[in-house]
Amino acid sequence: MWEYSEKLKDHFFNPRNVGRIDDADAVGEVGSIACGDALKIYLKIRDGVIVDVKFETFGCGSAIASASALTEMIKGKTIEEARKITNKDIAEYLGGLPPQKMHCSVMGWEALDVALKSYEGKGKGVEHVEKEDEGRIVCHCFGVPEGLIKKAIVENDLKSVEEITNYTKAGGGCGSCLMDLEEILKETRREMEFENKVKKCIESEIRPMLMRDGGDVEIVKVEGEKVYLKLKGMCAHCPSSTYTLKAFVEAKLKESVSENLEVLEG
Amino acid sequence: MENVIYFDNNATTNVAPEVLEEMLPYLKEFYGNPSSMHSFGGKVHKKLEEAREKVANLLNSSPTEIVFTSCGTESNNFAIRGVLEANPEKKHIITTRVEHPAVLNVCKYLSKKGYDVTFLKVDNKGQIDLDELRDSLRDDTAIVSIMYANNETGVIFPMEKIAQIVKSRGIILHVDAVQAVGKIPIDLSKLPIDLLSSSGHKLHAPKGVGFLYIRRGTKIKPFMLGGHQERGRRGGTENVASIIGLGKACELAMNSFEEEMTKVKGLRDKLENFILENIPYTHVNGDRENRLPNTTNVSFEFIEGESILLMLDKYGICASSGSACTSGSLEPSHVLRAMGVPFTLSHSSIRFSFSRYNKEEEVDRCIQVLPEIIDRLRSISPFWNEKKGKNFKKVEN
Ligand code: FES
């Protein structure tokens, strides 16, 4: 028997917000019967606030509880706030999940993501967003795209293929995708390390220097070896901002992170 | 725990009170080693041999053909690996896709070690194709290992025919009978099986004891080397009290076949029929004609097995499921998959397995709460709601 927390059991035996919303503004649907679990959430959105939410799910105890928890967490939140919620928050809300059940929380995260994207993409109405921006399907047994695997690794600091399986199910079937997962894990960990180094350098060396002159800088995103930054404060208006970025910031990052690094304005 | 309704007897059973009674003196005052020369140990030895006789009687075999082990898994390992070691020139093994992991994983391991393993298919009732078995037999087949009855579905294989086919080629036949022994009569004086595995805790003896029947003259190497216990076939000081308990359990089983076929089967049928008649979209998995009297495996379409188990558990009802979520793996039961049961049904399968210690009131209690549990879970399920709505698309696998 699984070790389930009291809170999880409560959400399983008394799930909140069960049902559907016929005129929902956004719907997020993930999973399938074949995979063993599926979740559909319906959102009602007014002025950027999630005013109502309902769900239907097919799954085990922790899947039902995760879905129930998610709906409670996002009700009354703005879209912005809801977007910040990840699977970790869902698991925490429930007082933790057994490791092999983490994929239930990831399913909630995924469904929310799909719902919000459908809302943004189409303005309103019920649309199913395909997983196209999630990249190729890596695990065919469970239909898990590369994007989701990477997201789960980064968000949960996953360190092994086994953990990837616990969180996303990828690799839990025939096992033919295990080599791919190993590659993705290595690659993602490398990227994470790179990003961490960039962050560290900016925090400890670059920002203090800029702030001395009333300026500041923010990381927009890191893609491969390209670092997108935005200058802020005094720097933002400084006519020599591009120069600052290239000559000072980039030079510094190159020196402490990698020779091939490139800084761009984001 | 109070008020447990235990419908999971294929997983394990309660120790029969008479069994415990029989064991206790051998955990207390009679602690002698049966191998000792003194009469204190000799007394234990005598009791041990009586137990062996009782076990042999249950199968209509001879006591010298019974070797005590620690469990069904050990018996299976002993049988398969012991035969292979004794027949090193033969490199082919035949088994089925629906075996218990204690056989399946041994065979998978051996296939990595250079053995050629044939995994026989089963049809949607869970039955093997006897022609496929016949055609798979080869001159270098060392052993055929086929279970008597399936632990998940209760499906019984046609053992007489299987034995006839295998023995007509003079090949060694091992039968994992862990689920069958004690539930249905087995007569080894008529059934030419060479090796048969069994486990105590499935028939109201304690956990940690089992046996392997080895037909006289079967070429097999000992699995556990050590002292001369079990006539050199299985070293290690005997688990005396448990073996004595196992003997008693076999004696009790001998006298309970009638009860199995009437009372136990009656309880099973009552629950099964209720489900099929009163809860829509339910299906029994496996060959209903050839099945253990105590087992039913039912699928409740559109919902997932673990959630059903958790709800049942709230009422103290113990059952098990072939769903992925309960096993810790992500794939549903290999047995149901081999039978071609669609994912929709295998994820929602529940096994109820009874024993002669179950009571009719317990079945009635289950009947009382089950429809509501299924209703509640279905009301949450998107697939059920789609099914009820018009836009239902059948989910194909
Ligand atoms: S493809 Fe990933 S487990 Fe089969």
Side-chain angles (χ1 to χ4, degrees):
Chain A
M1 180 128 255
W2 301 107
E3 292 276 335
Y4 285 146
S5 72
E6 286 310 311
K7 182 127 187 213
L8 190 150
K9 283 192 216 152
D10 176 40
H11 274 268
F12 167 67
F13 286 118
N14 312 294
R16 330 288 201 261
N17 309 308
V18 171
R20 42 172 62 192
I21 301 176
D22 285 330
D23 58 343
D25 299 304
V27 175
E29 189 177 6
V30 291
S32 75
I33 285 190
C35 294
D37 45 23
L39 170 61
K40 202 165 176 181
I41 62 168
Y42 303 82
L43 307 180
K44 197 87 198 139
I45 299 170
R46 282 287 161 277
D47 304 324
V49 176
I50 300 171
V51 292
D52 196 13
V53 45
K54 290 259 186 293
F55 80 92
E56 296 172 313
T57 189
F58 165 87
C60 57
S62 56
I64 293 174
S66 295
S68 167
L70 170 71
T71 58
E72 285 287 278
M73 290 165 76
I74 61 173
K75 211 179 197 171
K77 292 261 160 63
T78 63
I79 292 180
E80 279 317 305
E81 288 165 334
R83 198 176 283 130
K84 296 212 181 81
I85 291 170
T86 73
N87 75 293
K88 251 166 70 185
D89 302 314
I90 299 173
E92 245 159 57
Y93 183 93
L94 289 171
L97 285 172
Q100 300 91 328
K101 293 283 185 176
M102 284 305 288
H103 60 83
C104 296
S105 67
V106 173
M107 185 167 72
W109 186 25
E110 227 188 324
L112 175 64
D113 188 50
V114 172
L116 293 178
K117 278 189 185 137
S118 92
Y119 183 70
E120 273 159 20
K122 310 295 171 204
K124 60 177 177 206
V126 178
E127 297 291 339
H128 288 224
V129 171
E130 288 309 321
K131 290 183 182 167
E132 75 227 345
D133 56 334
E134 297 255 333
R136 75 190 165 105
I137 299 291
V138 178
C139 176
H140 292 278
C141 286
F142 292 104
V144 191
E146 183 166 2
L148 181 71
I149 296 168
K150 286 190 151 186
K151 247 167 70 176
I153 296 173
V154 173
E155 177 62 26
N156 299 285
D157 192 23
L158 305 184
K159 295 194 175 72
S160 67
V161 171
E162 195 189 327
E163 279 184 305
I164 296 180
T165 307
N166 285 342
Y167 278 71
T168 66
K169 293 185 159 195
C174 68
S176 67
C177 61
L178 290 175
M179 299 268 272
D180 275 6
L181 294 179
E182 191 76 59
E183 270 309 302
I184 294 171
L185 179 68
K186 256 200 237 150
E187 173 73 29
T188 312
R189 301 273 341 163
R190 209 181 298 128
E191 287 168 16
M192 284 164 74
E193 204 188 315
F194 181 83
E195 200 173 327
N196 263 336
K197 277 194 193 152
V198 169
K199 268 191 198 146
K200 248 209 206 123
C201 173
I202 289 183
E203 284 306 317
S204 63
E205 301 186 46
I206 296 171
R207 285 188 66 207
M209 297 277 275
L210 295 177
M211 279 156 88
R212 230 184 283 153
D213 300 325
D216 202 354
V217 69
E218 184 188 273
I219 305 175
V220 178
K221 62 180 174 187
V222 180
E223 259 172 19
E225 306 227 68
K226 290 195 175 79
V227 181
Y228 293 85
L229 297 175
K230 195 172 173 180
L231 287 170
K232 298 198 338 195
M234 294 289 274
C235 295
H237 314 293
C238 172
S240 56
S241 65
T242 317
Y243 177 79
T244 310
L245 264 188
K246 283 281 175 196
F248 169 62
V249 180
E250 185 177 272
K252 196 91 208 141
L253 283 170
K254 273 192 167 172
E255 183 191 313
S256 53
V257 183
S258 153
E259 250 316 291
N260 306 322
L261 182 148
E262 193 183 343
V263 168
L264 296 158
E265 241 180 298
Chain B
M1 264 170 93
E2 6 111 45
N3 292 335
V4 168
I5 297 180
Y6 191 75
F7 293 161
D8 201 11
N9 287 280
N10 284 9
T12 193
T13 58
N14 63 305
V15 173
E18 299 92 328
V19 167
L20 182 64
E21 197 65 18
E22 193 90 353
M23 289 171 66
L24 282 176
Y26 297 87
L27 291 166
K28 289 179 180 166
E29 54 265 47
F30 303 121
Y31 55 81
N33 189 326
S35 300
S36 297
M37 283 313 292
H38 42 71
S39 57
F40 185 60
K43 192 174 156 52
V44 176
H45 175 79
K46 192 162 163 271
K47 189 76 186 172
L48 196 76
E49 291 313 310
E50 273 171 40
R52 197 185 305 278
E53 212 158 298
K54 287 174 185 167
V55 173
N57 278 345
L58 180 65
L59 303 172
N60 203 3
S61 61
S62 144
T64 55
E65 295 173 312
I66 304 296
V67 177
F68 290 114
T69 63
S70 66
C71 59
T73 300
E74 184 191 324
S75 300
N76 287 331
N77 271 270
F78 182 176
I80 297 170
R81 301 169 81 169
V83 164
L84 295 181
E85 213 191 318
N87 300 276
E89 68 296 345
K90 298 192 171 161
K91 294 291 179 200
H92 180 228
I93 304 166
I94 298 174
T95 187
T96 78
R97 294 190 186 177
V98 296
E99 296 299 310
H100 187 274
V103 167
L104 212 51
N105 287 339
V106 174
C107 290
K108 283 184 185 163
Y109 170 80
L110 290 165
S111 82
K112 283 196 194 120
K113 291 279 163 191
Y115 281 90
D116 192 5
V117 184
T118 303
F119 295 94
L120 300 174
K121 291 192 295 292
V122 295
D123 63 15
N124 57 12
K125 287 181 157 181
Q127 288 293 0
I128 54 168
D129 174 358
L130 293 174
D131 288 329
E132 192 195 1
L133 169 64
R134 196 175 291 114
D135 295 343
S136 304
L137 296 169
R138 308 196 316 217
D139 291 339
D140 70 334
T141 304
I143 187 168
V144 176
S145 179
I146 294 182
M147 71 200 324
Y148 209 115
N150 189 275
N151 48 311
E152 293 188 26
T153 58
V155 168
I156 299 173
F157 282 140
M159 210 36 82
E160 270 158 53
K161 289 184 190 142
I162 290 171
Q164 199 202 332
I165 292 169
V166 175
K167 293 321 291 178
S168 73
R169 294 281 300 265
I171 294 166
I172 294 179
L173 174 62
H174 166 245
V175 174
D176 172 3
V178 164
Q179 292 295 344
V181 171
K183 291 180 190 144
I184 50 173
I186 298 173
D187 184 348
L188 291 177
S189 74
K190 300 212 178 82
L191 207 52
I193 290 170
D194 300 296
L195 300 146
L196 180 139
S197 304
S198 178
S199 165
H201 73 107
K202 309 282 191 193
L203 61 142
H204 307 289
K207 296 161 187 68
V209 65
F211 69 86
L212 178 65
Y213 159 86
I214 305 175
R215 186 174 291 276
R216 201 172 293 121
T218 305
K219 256 178 98 183
I220 184 166
K221 279 267 165 48
F223 182 57
M224 193 105 94
L225 300 176
H228 59 274
Q229 293 91 349
E230 302 297 300
R231 311 195 326 144
R233 290 176 295 185
R234 202 270 191 186
T237 301
E238 300 87 343
N239 182 357
V240 171
S242 294
I243 290 172
I244 290 166
L246 176 57
K248 185 70 190 176
C250 287
E251 186 183 273
L252 294 174
M254 262 297 243
N255 301 317
S256 310
F257 287 130
E258 177 73 31
E259 204 180 347
E260 288 284 335
M261 284 320 292
T262 52
K263 180 188 155 184
V264 178
K265 182 172 180 298
L267 296 178
R268 190 271 313 267
D269 289 346
K270 183 170 182 180
L271 180 63
E272 184 174 279
N273 291 333
F274 171 83
I275 292 170
L276 293 178
E277 283 160 23
N278 295 282
I279 304 180
Y281 300 100
T282 49
H283 313 263
V284 170
N285 298 308
D287 185 353
R288 292 178 74 184
E289 308 300 309
N290 300 292
R291 205 164 40 143
L292 292 174
N294 82 319
T295 309
T296 178
N297 186 311
V298 198
S299 288
F300 299 86
E301 218 173 331
F302 308 111
I303 47 181
E304 199 276 335
E306 187 203 281
S307 53
I308 303 173
L309 289 186
L310 288 172
M311 290 269 183
L312 285 171
D313 191 62
K314 219 182 154 185
Y315 295 100
I317 301 172
C318 311
S320 66
S321 169
S323 102
C325 283
T326 50
S327 59
S329 89
L330 293 167
E331 297 266 331
S333 138
H334 71 283
V335 175
L336 300 183
R337 280 180 53 127
M339 287 161 62
V341 174
F343 279 107
T344 35
L345 298 181
S346 45
H347 281 299
S348 69
S349 69
I350 300 287
R351 178 188 72 188
F352 297 97
S353 47
F354 301 85
S355 84
R356 58 181 189 271
Y357 292 90
N358 286 125
K359 300 189 197 76
E360 182 145 10
E361 299 96 84
E362 295 176 328
V363 173
D364 292 339
R365 175 77 180 134
C366 186
I367 283 176
Q368 213 176 40
V369 299
L370 193 57
E372 201 212 306
I373 290 175
I374 303 302
D375 263 6
R376 252 185 91 180
L377 289 169
R378 280 184 176 166
S379 73
I380 306 179
S381 165
F383 304 117
W384 176 250
N385 292 331
E386 264 172 47
K387 171 81 196 168
K388 282 192 312 182
K390 290 201 180 62
N391 54 343
F392 179 74
K393 298 180 263 111
K394 184 119 183 70
V395 183
E396 298 292 346
N397 290 298

